[in-house]
Amino acid sequence: NVLIGSAPADGQVSDLARTVLRVVSEPVTYEGHELSLSASIGISFFPRDASDFDGLVACADVAMYEAKRRGRNNVQVFSTGTSAAARTRQHVANGLRQAIDQQQFQLCYLPQVELATGRVVGFEALLRWHHPELGWTAPPAFIPLAEEIGLSDALSDWVLRTACAQGAAWRARGLGDIPISVNLSPRSFWDRELSGRIKGTLEETGWPASLLCLEITEAALMAGDDPQEATDRIRALGVRLALDDFGVGYSSLGNLRRLSLDVLKFDRSFTSGIPTDADDVALIRTILALTRGLDVTVVAEGIESAAQRDALLAEGCRYGQGYLFGWPAAPEACEGILRAGRIQAAEGQPLSV
Ligand code: C2E
Ligand code: MG
Ligand code: MG
């Protein structure tokens, strides 16, 4: 802890803290290795934030965690807003720890179709959390927190097992063998035990590896040392791999080629621009042209209108998903789609089968 005795303004203290960060982060050489450190600094003020030493340290602590959350090497001044946000996070984190046991999670399924015919070629499993007070909650609101508090493996296991068991249940009821995609959080993807756990889940549920596809984002793929080894380990099981949200991050087709991924899903932000935005059309055209020589299935995400579907078809994109074909739905609601095997999407009637 650093105590500054005089009473400088907020800005001056932040400047001082940044100087400290700069000094701390200067690389040092130790036994021939270059080492660098990062730090996060939280600041609180007497008597504005607290009137005693323990209170001041507690406020600085809350601010420091907020600084860490915003990315390392950051400075954050305490505010009551930070404190309220920290309390809410704590509350949600406590809820998450009990959510699996309390059966508050559910998977919804989003159909993936062959654009020209409406034939259903798969379902993407999407996680939902029914929080006792906040109601239904979508994954971006809690997955990063689940990762932070070390719950990502338990959650991935639950999602994998539930999705594979669902596929097996549909199959047992004579509804066919429908490929199922599951999203993996970055941390789970890099867990060395992952392939063993997938194998166990497939054996336990009786779901064939060839009907399981795992979706990861490019950022997740690039977050570890040896993506080749990690993807090889999964593909060796016979499970397919999809690159999700392509186009929002590195967008490297080199990755796709080198890592021999099976599916490329390009992000909804491109789909939303077509057919009017010439840049988006050009981007999609380029992606399709560059993947033509590769053994990769391209899937368009976020198709909401017939005009978008038609433009994608005209560019040679064969597969897609989005609200035009259906909202993420509970398993029971998917049975009609599975029986029909296709979705005749008409604008304004996304769920017509
Ligand atoms: P994603 O994998 O790209 O999933 C597609 C998201 O887009 C879903 O949001 C879906 O509801 C939404 N979507 C689908 N079609 C349309 C459309 O036509 N228009 C618009 N505006 N949106 C559409 P959701 O369910 O909120 O999921 C968000 C993200 O959270 C997912 O993006 C995925 O990255 C992650 N996620 C979902 N389920 C899981 C999970 O089980 N585990 C992990 N780790 N992440 C998950
Ligand atoms: Mg996905
Ligand atoms: Mg996506």
Side-chain angles (χ1 to χ4, degrees):
N1 294 317
V2 176
L3 203 59
I4 301 174
S6 56
D10 284 23
Q12 281 168 302
V13 179
S14 298
D15 287 347
L16 185 64
R18 281 197 193 88
T19 310
V20 172
L21 282 188
R22 217 173 21 252
V23 174
V24 167
S25 64
E26 268 167 23
V28 288
T29 309
Y30 177 73
E31 291 186 352
H33 299 282
E34 187 166 286
L35 305 173
S36 54
L37 291 173
S38 71
S40 305
I41 298 180
I43 301 169
S44 59
F45 284 87
F46 171 86
R48 186 184 75 188
D49 301 325
S51 55
D52 60 11
F53 182 76
D54 289 343
L56 272 181
V57 171
C59 290
D61 240 19
V62 167
M64 181 196 68
Y65 280 113
E66 179 61 15
K68 273 190 201 296
R69 210 174 62 78
R70 293 182 177 205
R72 281 162 199 273
N73 252 336
N74 246 315
V75 174
Q76 183 69 38
V77 175
F78 175 81
S79 75
T80 44
T82 322
S83 166
R87 270 202 305 275
T88 308
R89 272 168 53 78
Q90 198 56 45
H91 182 62
V92 175
N94 290 340
L96 266 177
R97 290 196 184 91
Q98 302 162 13
I100 293 186
D101 285 346
Q102 310 229 335
Q103 303 184 353
Q104 290 167 358
F105 287 118
Q106 196 196 327
L107 290 184
C108 285
Y109 295 85
L110 183 73
Q112 303 178 319
V113 302
E114 183 178 51
L115 298 177
T117 60
R119 183 169 62 90
V120 179
V121 294
F123 276 104
E124 176 173 5
L126 295 166
L127 186 58
R128 298 289 178 266
W129 177 22
H130 191 255
H131 187 282
E133 290 139 43
L134 304 173
W136 287 108
T137 316
F142 63 84
I143 294 273
L145 184 57
E147 289 222 320
E148 245 176 77
I149 62 175
L151 278 183
S152 49
D153 289 347
L155 203 50
S156 296
D157 282 351
W158 183 88
V159 171
L160 260 174
R161 197 168 349 101
T162 308
C164 292
Q166 185 62 60
W170 280 332
R171 169 191 239 192
R173 308 243 322 270
L175 293 166
D177 281 348
I178 189 84
I180 294 185
S181 297
V182 168
N183 293 283
L184 273 187
S185 70
R187 195 165 291 196
S188 307
F189 173 71
W190 282 101
D191 180 3
R192 292 192 66 84
E193 312 286 312
L194 177 68
S195 57
R197 298 211 315 267
I198 298 171
K199 193 159 176 274
T201 305
L202 292 170
E203 281 165 9
E204 193 188 309
T205 55
W207 189 240
S210 58
L211 294 176
L212 177 65
C213 178
L214 298 179
E215 301 194 358
I216 42 165
T217 62
E218 213 176 9
L221 197 59
M222 293 297 106
D225 290 336
D226 193 349
Q228 178 91 55
E229 204 229 326
T231 52
D232 283 353
R233 238 182 299 133
I234 293 175
R235 291 185 83 245
L237 299 170
V239 171
R240 300 186 345 126
L241 268 179
L243 198 54
D244 205 353
D245 304 345
F246 188 78
V248 289
Y250 303 76
S251 316
S252 153
L253 285 158
N255 281 339
L256 205 65
R257 184 189 300 268
R258 210 172 34 254
L259 302 174
S260 45
L261 298 160
D262 305 275
V263 179
L264 180 151
K265 301 181 75 172
F266 63 79
D267 192 63
R268 166 158 67 85
S269 51
F270 295 134
T271 309
S272 63
I274 57 166
T276 39
D277 187 318
D279 289 343
D280 287 342
V281 175
L283 264 163
I284 290 171
R285 193 171 294 163
T286 310
I287 292 173
L288 287 163
L290 291 172
T291 50
R292 214 150 275 148
L294 306 172
D295 190 14
V296 172
T297 304
V298 178
V299 176
E301 298 192 86
I303 306 175
E304 292 182 354
S305 71
Q308 289 169 344
R309 175 199 54 198
D310 295 345
L312 287 163
L313 271 171
E315 294 299 334
C317 179
R318 290 186 59 197
Y319 301 101
Q321 60 183 49
Y323 297 161
L324 176 68
F325 306 103
W327 303 82
E332 312 80 59
C334 298
E335 292 189 6
I337 296 174
L338 282 166
R339 281 208 183 82
R342 64 183 60 236
I343 300 173
Q344 291 308 343
E347 226 163 325
Q349 305 169 290
L351 273 179
S352 73
V353 177

